[in-house]
Amino acid sequence: MPDKNGDINTACITGTVAKAADRYAMDVMGLKSLTLMETASSKIAGDYRLFIEEANCRSHGFVLAIDAPSGINTDTGELMGCGIKADVTITFGRNKTGLACGAGQNLAGRVLVEDIGIPDEAYIEAEKHL
């Protein structure tokens, strides 16, 4: 069971996604929701892989990726075993390199970048440590 902070973070992200969907006039009725807790550095395997492969075979529905499609390394665009084919990806802060190259470019669909209030100075400081 998530702690209070997890519940708050989930509510904040859900609210941000709802606002972004509204802003871009996206019809979210009947939206297929896919949330897989896989890290970008591990290969998709087992039940997660079966689920993604099955979802990709279906031609109906709408797939919205939150931050990045499952199975894509957001730094490199590398396919991590398999990946979900999204119609739209809503990513946060700034666009991710991995959504514009490699398999990520093919799987992300239309990419929408949602501002979440991270100042440019924070990105500049973070890049110094890469």
Side-chain angles (χ1 to χ4, degrees):
M1 181 167 196
D3 62 12
K4 276 186 165 179
N5 291 334
D7 290 340
I8 291 168
N9 291 337
T10 301
C12 289
I13 289 171
T14 302
T16 300
V17 170
K19 288 176 189 171
D22 185 51
R23 179 176 313 139
Y24 296 107
M26 294 167 60
D27 179 9
V28 294
M29 294 303 291
L31 183 69
K32 216 190 301 183
S33 175
L34 174 65
T35 304
L36 298 178
M37 302 311 285
E38 290 286 322
T39 66
S41 62
S42 64
K43 298 283 186 190
I44 301 288
D47 289 341
Y48 291 123
R49 183 181 186 99
L50 292 173
F51 183 86
I52 287 173
E53 289 172 347
E54 179 67 22
N56 284 339
C57 288
R58 301 190 180 266
S59 61
H60 60 284
F62 180 87
V63 177
L64 174 65
I66 305 303
D67 206 36
S70 293
I72 298 300
N73 180 306
T74 56
D75 293 328
T76 66
E78 177 187 0
L79 185 62
M80 304 305 292
C82 71
I84 191 77
K85 173 72 175 122
D87 295 295
V88 173
T89 298
I90 298 176
T91 195
F92 304 101
R94 288 192 174 171
N95 200 356
K96 314 297 187 271
T97 301
L99 299 180
C101 63
Q105 184 177 18
N106 297 324
L107 294 177
R110 181 177 173 201
V111 177
L112 307 172
V113 179
E114 185 65 21
D115 179 55
I116 55 173
I118 300 171
D120 287 338
E121 296 79 22
Y123 291 106
I124 294 167
E125 186 62 30
E127 288 174 7
K128 290 178 187 177
H129 301 284
L130 294 178

